[in-house]
Amino acid sequence: MSHDAEFAVWRRQWQTAPPRADTPAWAAAISERVARQSRLMRIGLIGPILVTIVVGGLMLLRAVSSGTRLDLALAVESWLFIALAWAGCLWLARGTWRPLGQTTAAFVTVSIWRCESDIASIRFGVGLYVGQLALTTLLMAMFRNPPLDARALLFSWHMIVIGWIGLPLFVSWSFWYVRRRRAELKRLLDLQRQLAGDGT
Amino acid sequence: MAESSHETPEARLNRLLTADRPALTRLAASYARSPADRDDLLQEIAMALWGALPRFRGECAERTFLFRIAHNRCITHLAKRRPTVSLDDIEFEPEDPCTHSEAQLADEQQRDRLLRGIQQLPLIYREVVVLMLEGMDYGEIADVVGVSATNVGVRLNRAKQQLKQLLEDLP
């Protein structure tokens, strides 16, 4: 192939010089960005574990120290949802940790799976959020002492923060994120078709 | 390989990026639509390389590994950006004509045309052409792209015809 005159000419033109903006700023920014990204990746790994320990631990501590039926029920419910969240996330992320091979096709495939997994995870997350909100409200209605009427319950601090404010925010963010990931998935599928498209 | 066994990951990354920076810049340019887009892509490549280097066990040449990572990152970069690109969007900053001789200007224009031609190639052809222009042989390209060497040859032949046509049509 090195004898191919046209490719030889193109290669000479191509390699004469890199495009102009080969800036030192890029090189300088890389090490900083690598360090920042590594920190974020560590936080990303530690984050869910920290949430599990802090939220689960606090609920447990509260249940043990107060001994009320409501706190006990909320602690059980929290751990149930934590377990569900972990199981769901691990299940949905199966097969997406790394590509099956080192090829571009395998890389694109795993990117597609990651997109699909992210979309499914968000749906699962919204379901979990709504489920936990409903169950928490139900437990409060059943076990709170003194009992709260429906109106007081609907406007309790927990309902305002997690329900009236948190739920619309989380659902809106989910819609935006799923839409973005869907667009990316569409483009990845298109790339996959293009990469497989020569029939050779 | 022996060199890489006792250097820190940071030093290894720096060495690889420094040695092949011009090639990586050209590779990124062929998948980017502007200098800023290309610089973003270069940073993504560096990040991906940083993540992948610990897994490199010397199964192939280090350069092949580098290009495989870079190439895969370029492909997914295409998926992340908005799909509609008109040719007018593909714009690299013009050189200042005062600083160049006529011969340099002509070289510059030819290189720009070649880049624009490559950017317009279908993906399956673009990927093999860019690697070919970086001096890789069929086997190395096959390793990076994940197809057989024969397939690389077929793709390069078709790519050459298309690229010739594109370069003729470009202003």
Side-chain angles (χ1 to χ4, degrees), chain A residues 1 4 6 11 13-15 20-21 26 33 37-38 102 104 187 191 194-195 198 200, chain B residues 21 26 38 43 47 50 68 71-72 79 81 95 111 124 132-134 151 154 158 160 164:
Chain A
M1 82 255 49
D4 190 308
E6 264 155 337
R11 187 179 296 138
Q13 288 175 358
W14 182 250
Q15 294 191 355
R20 194 173 153 225
W26 165 64
R33 186 164 164 180
Q37 200 79 12
S38 304
Q102 292 295 315
T104 305
R187 291 197 284 272
L191 282 176
Q194 286 182 45
L195 286 168
D198 68 340
T200 50
Chain B
R21 205 170 99 193
R26 290 190 293 263
R38 178 201 52 207
Q43 292 208 5
M47 291 306 307
W50 173 253
R68 185 188 288 155
H71 174 255
N72 286 343
R81 74 183 191 196
E95 296 276 344
R111 205 167 49 239
I124 48 166
M132 172 73 167
L133 294 180
E134 287 304 338
N151 193 299
V154 174
R158 294 181 184 172
K160 194 173 83 174
K164 263 170 73 174

